[in-house]
Amino acid sequence: MNEHPCKESSRQMSWRPTYRSSKFRNVYGKVGNREHCFDGIPITKNVHDNHFCAVNSKFLAVVTESAGGGSFIVIPVPQSGRLDSHYPKVCGHQGNVLDIKWNPFFENIIASCSEDTSVRVWEIPEGGLRRNMTEAVLELYGHSRRVGVIEWHPTSSGILFSAGYDYKILIWNLEIGEPVKMIDCHTDVILSMSFNTDGSLLATSCKDKKLRVIEPRSGAVLQQASCKNHRVNRVVFLGNMKRLLTTGVSRWNTRQIALWDQEDLSMPIVEEDIDGLSGLLFPFYDADTHMLYLAGKGDGNIRYFEITTEKPYLQYLMEFRSPAPQKGLGVMPKHGLDVGACEVFRFYKLVTLKGLIEPISMIVPRRSDTYQEDIYPMTAGTEPALSASEWLSGINRDPVLMSLKEGYQRPNQLVFKAPVKEKKSVVVNGIDLLENVPPRTENELLRMFFRQQDELRRLKEELTTKDVRIRQLELELNNLKNVSPNNV
């Protein structure tokens, strides 16, 4: 009879640590008013597993549905409301745009990648577009198949990574406009890339069911996990915790997350089932608050957790619910948040059926209106810590930190100068990336056909110009011959 109460008390004790106190336990999601939403946007219907949305403190960029190539729109953040149907677009790609990312240091510079095998860098004018933009600052060709994912280096302003369906990752040095390194260790399509805080390590998830930690400059695989029980879809570095978090699917087809030690990927530290739905889980990590947000593609809800270095590692906090399913989510950088409202994270949610983008603010409820030091530590700012050449030479530096209390000071705007060059080949690691590669799909065949048609047209024009010049020279020569006997 005496054993039962004892067992009961020990059971209660074991549950107690999961209810530990947290300053983020009552964080709640607040949807922006209708006037703060962006309406009438023809959001792309492409089924590629990406966000199709990128945000910074100045602009919101969204991939749109368009005929005859890929395009995206760029809207100044304060310019919310209903969009004009003839709003100008960035429309230089010949194929669907699959990913877009703002440069973290220069807010007018955005990179895009596409099914047309190219990566392009665009400079958006102050105040947004007034007409369609077709000319990119840089057009980067090196992949033999479509490019699905791009990522800017977190501390160097001139380094861009791109992952293609040719199973390769190219590192682009934008100071010279060329690829300087090719990482060729994957055996299938690369699904996601994530950097640690100083950009010295790169984690990738791949369709070959392997999770990798790579030293990006050498391309060496430092750690590798074969995820048979937990099929990895997305991976994210957890700041300086030396941890990785992955979202994926269990062997029973339930959605789950797993926590890993970056120096030992033999077994996950912890695995946790989320639910039985089928949509991809997108992870978002906030290193300042140690909060993890999970948003399912096609869901309307966003779950959030607090991550700690001690057990239980993952502490479930709450869930934001909404009936409208999300196609993708953009995330506002820290310096664009409303500090006065205790906003710690802001999503921009794409609702395809309504052509709507709504901001969702994650807010810590506080009674005081003063600046809350404990929820806004020094954060990665908008100043690069390294140049491209410094990072490529082997130097690592932590991000240059800024305080959100002092306000945001924008550095001088970057101006990309596309190098003038006529190159017939792009050689990286001794391989010519632009040599003829046979097309693998009908779309690739069509793209290659149109590209060759353009090249033929250009060569014909060049030939015609040269023919005219030859005729002129022949006439001049005949005139000289006719004139010369009289002079003699």
Side-chain angles (χ1 to χ4, degrees):
M1 289 292 289
N2 293 337
E3 281 184 5
H4 185 69
C6 191
K7 275 186 182 173
E8 188 65 32
S9 67
S10 68
R11 194 158 61 88
Q12 286 174 349
M13 284 290 287
S14 68
W15 277 95
R16 221 166 268 167
T18 64
Y19 293 105
R20 65 185 189 81
S21 63
S22 165
K23 67 181 84 167
F24 302 112
R25 170 151 292 285
N26 296 314
V27 168
Y28 65 95
K30 182 183 177 184
V31 181
N33 298 331
R34 192 73 187 184
E35 61 265 23
H36 294 127
C37 295
F38 299 82
D39 202 358
I41 296 173
I43 299 166
T44 180
K45 294 181 175 65
N46 195 313
V47 294
H48 187 72
D49 282 332
N50 258 344
H51 293 295
F52 301 111
C53 178
V55 196
N56 64 23
S57 65
K58 279 188 179 180
F59 299 110
L60 167 69
V62 184
V63 179
T64 58
E65 197 66 16
S66 63
S71 65
F72 59 95
I73 56 171
V74 176
I75 315 163
V77 168
Q79 196 180 307
S80 50
R82 188 158 190 87
L83 205 70
D84 189 310
S85 58
H86 301 293
Y87 197 85
K89 294 181 173 72
V90 179
C91 50
H93 283 287
Q94 278 89 48
N96 289 326
V97 176
L98 298 180
D99 199 9
I100 48 176
K101 295 274 166 59
W102 290 105
N103 186 306
F105 308 110
F106 304 100
E107 301 205 297
N108 292 58
I109 301 294
I110 188 169
S112 62
C113 64
S114 164
E115 288 183 350
D116 65 9
T117 75
S118 74
V119 177
R120 302 188 186 205
V121 178
W122 312 83
E123 186 168 7
I124 307 300
E126 286 293 324
L129 300 177
R130 287 165 187 82
R131 62 186 68 83
N132 283 356
M133 179 180 274
T134 55
E135 293 294 317
V137 178
L138 281 174
E139 291 184 20
L140 308 171
Y141 287 98
H143 287 283
S144 60
R145 299 188 71 187
R146 59 182 170 161
V147 188
V149 186
I150 47 175
E151 287 290 344
W152 291 95
H153 191 273
T155 58
S156 171
S157 62
I159 297 287
L160 181 68
F161 284 62
S162 63
Y165 276 59
D166 51 8
Y167 314 157
K168 294 173 177 61
I169 295 174
L170 292 182
I171 305 176
W172 302 90
N173 178 355
L174 301 188
E175 290 175 3
I176 59 172
E178 290 179 13
V180 288
K181 178 71 190 172
M182 179 173 69
I183 299 172
D184 190 12
C185 60
H186 300 84
T187 59
D188 210 324
V189 176
I190 297 135
L191 301 173
S192 69
M193 299 186 283
S194 177
F195 288 99
N196 65 343
T197 308
D198 65 1
S200 60
L201 294 175
L202 173 71
T204 63
S205 61
C206 181
K207 224 172 180 176
D208 63 10
K209 300 177 184 175
K210 287 181 181 172
L211 173 66
R212 294 173 175 88
V213 174
I214 299 165
E215 202 292 309
R217 281 172 293 225
S218 67
V221 179
L222 305 179
Q223 288 287 328
Q224 182 172 293
S226 294
C227 311
K228 290 171 184 171
N229 296 336
H230 169 78
R231 291 201 308 278
V232 171
N233 285 324
R234 291 291 181 271
V235 60
V236 63
F237 260 105
L238 301 180
N240 280 329
M241 283 186 169
K242 296 199 170 180
R243 297 271 197 274
L244 296 167
L245 185 122
T246 59
T247 66
V249 183
S250 73
R251 60 167 71 179
W252 315 114
N253 279 340
T254 56
R255 296 196 295 192
Q256 65 177 193
I257 54 176
L259 192 65
W260 307 77
D261 181 343
Q262 74 179 37
E263 292 169 356
D264 179 13
L265 298 184
S266 57
M267 284 284 289
I269 298 167
V270 64
E271 286 179 349
E272 190 165 316
D273 287 346
I274 301 298
D275 58 32
L277 299 178
S278 59
L280 176 75
L281 272 179
F282 291 116
F284 302 89
Y285 180 67
D286 180 359
D288 296 345
T289 59
H290 304 299
M291 283 178 69
L292 170 76
Y293 301 86
L294 292 180
K297 187 177 178 180
D299 302 358
N301 58 348
I302 300 170
R303 297 174 177 87
Y304 35 107
F305 302 75
E306 193 171 6
I307 294 187
T308 58
T309 51
E310 300 163 1
K311 286 185 179 180
Y313 305 116
L314 288 162
Q315 179 70 44
Y316 174 75
L317 294 173
M318 218 182 284
E319 184 175 355
F320 165 80
R321 292 176 180 270
S322 163
Q326 57 230 5
K327 183 180 182 71
L329 293 157
V331 173
M332 175 65 78
K334 279 282 174 172
H335 60 263
L337 300 180
D338 184 353
V339 176
C342 295
E343 184 184 32
V344 289
F345 216 72
R346 190 192 303 161
F347 293 101
Y348 283 79
K349 172 178 168 177
L350 273 58
V351 186
T352 313
L353 296 174
K354 298 180 182 176
L356 181 72
I357 298 171
E358 54 183 22
I360 302 168
S361 299
M362 310 309 291
I363 293 171
V364 180
R366 293 280 171 97
R367 286 178 184 163
S368 172
D369 293 333
T370 57
Y371 180 74
Q372 307 290 311
E373 297 270 2
D374 61 326
I375 59 173
Y376 296 115
M378 295 283 281
T379 189
T382 55
E383 187 184 333
L386 292 162
S387 67
S389 51
E390 282 177 322
W391 182 77
L392 289 166
S393 71
I395 301 169
N396 292 320
R397 281 196 200 124
D398 284 331
V400 178
L401 301 181
M402 65 182 280
S403 167
L404 298 180
K405 186 177 185 178
E406 305 304 322
Y408 164 54
Q409 296 295 320
R410 188 167 64 85
N412 292 332
Q413 186 174 317
L414 176 70
V415 177
F416 277 109
K417 291 183 181 177
V420 178
K421 59 184 192 299
E422 283 190 24
K423 293 200 73 173
K424 298 288 182 281
S425 63
V426 176
V427 180
V428 180
N429 295 12
I431 299 169
D432 185 355
L433 299 177
L434 296 182
E435 66 183 350
N436 291 329
V437 178
R440 307 186 196 189
T441 65
E442 191 179 336
N443 277 345
E444 281 185 24
L445 185 64
L446 280 169
R447 280 197 298 279
M448 193 172 281
F449 169 74
F450 288 129
R451 202 184 291 164
Q452 285 174 344
Q453 291 290 96
D454 288 342
E455 182 70 8
L456 282 170
R457 201 176 298 114
R458 189 184 65 78
L459 288 170
K460 278 178 182 175
E461 286 171 4
E462 206 174 297
L463 203 59
T464 307
T465 309
K466 285 181 178 174
D467 279 345
V468 170
R469 182 71 184 132
I470 288 166
R471 274 194 229 105
Q472 285 175 341
L473 289 168
E474 283 175 344
L475 283 168
E476 285 175 19
L477 194 63
N478 284 332
N479 289 338
L480 281 169
K481 281 179 181 176
N482 293 333
V483 170
S484 59
N486 298 334
N487 290 342
V488 172

